[in-house]
Amino acid sequence: MRRVRAESFAALYDEHVERVYGFFGYRLGSREDAEDLTQATFERALKAWRRFDPERASAATWLLAIARNLLIDHVRRDGTAEVRPLSLSEAAESAPHPHTTDEPRLGISPELESALAALSERDREVIALRFGADLTGPEIAELTGLSLANVQQIVSRSLRKLRSELDPERTPTTRTKRS
């Protein structure tokens, strides 16, 4: 029985490690912290593995709840901790599983990093969960306690703000009135 549980936890790790690391990559300015917190997330998950109930939450939601709590603890513990996304070069150097294929690596561009800084803390967290951790709207709603409609609104509004930050020359299309 123990062996089956260990094998299933190993499969869980393989399936979700990049998702957890991606969440931290969108939120932290230090690749070392992102790596450490990813490791801590799976250590905590392994200790609690017997209590995991797939009826209550998906594995991704459960792991991201652990990751989110660790991030909050990390920021509180280290008042100087910077919560900013990893740059593309930082993330590329430290992906937990070196890619041997042409799959994209974790991390974001410096331009996106700068644009994310213009978002509120809550909006950055929702964007990190959506795009860093690749969670769906319902999973984010479950994890954060927000309604699905609120999550969708935050994502939509944040993406518009990010577009305007990334391309300030672009103006919204205006409708022309027909005479």
Side-chain angles (χ1 to χ4, degrees):
M1 180 73 166
R2 256 189 168 156
R3 183 174 176 205
V4 169
R5 290 189 69 77
E7 288 173 1
S8 62
F9 187 81
L12 176 90
Y13 176 87
D14 289 341
E15 184 177 343
H16 296 287
V17 68
E18 289 185 357
R19 185 176 263 191
V20 172
Y21 183 78
F23 168 72
F24 289 125
Y26 264 73
R27 301 292 290 141
L28 295 170
S30 162
R31 74 168 187 249
E32 290 83 11
D33 288 345
E35 291 170 351
D36 290 347
L37 289 175
T38 298
Q39 178 181 346
T41 298
F42 283 97
E43 286 174 2
R44 193 172 281 183
L46 182 59
K47 288 177 186 172
W49 185 230
R50 288 179 175 258
R51 295 187 312 266
F52 170 64
D53 181 3
E55 299 287 322
R56 292 184 62 204
S58 70
T61 302
W62 180 67
L63 285 169
L64 268 298
I66 294 170
R68 190 171 175 239
N69 290 334
L70 283 169
L71 178 65
I72 291 167
D73 292 346
H74 173 75
V75 171
R76 283 184 186 155
R77 188 174 44 252
D78 181 8
T80 63
E82 227 184 305
V83 179
R84 70 169 179 81
L86 289 176
S87 70
L88 183 60
S89 61
E90 289 171 323
E93 291 173 16
S94 64
H97 286 283
H99 293 283
T100 55
T101 65
D102 291 331
E103 293 178 7
R105 296 189 153 216
L106 297 173
I108 59 175
S109 70
E111 296 84 9
L112 180 55
E113 178 182 348
S114 175
L116 283 167
L119 298 177
S120 72
E121 187 68 27
R122 182 184 69 168
D123 293 355
R124 280 194 310 265
E125 179 178 33
V126 170
I127 292 296
L129 290 168
R130 176 62 192 98
F131 298 103
D134 199 29
L135 293 182
T136 64
E139 290 171 323
I140 296 168
E142 180 183 348
L143 181 63
T144 61
L146 298 169
S147 70
L148 177 57
N150 198 1
V151 167
Q152 291 169 332
Q153 182 181 23
I154 290 168
V155 169
S156 177
R157 183 183 59 235
S158 297
L159 289 176
R160 280 193 308 273
K161 183 157 185 147
L162 289 171
R163 271 188 218 104
S164 71
E165 291 288 326
L166 292 168
D167 191 4
E169 304 286 317
R170 184 175 165 191
T171 56
T173 334
T174 56
R175 292 185 179 178
T176 56
K177 292 183 182 178
R178 291 187 181 193
S179 307

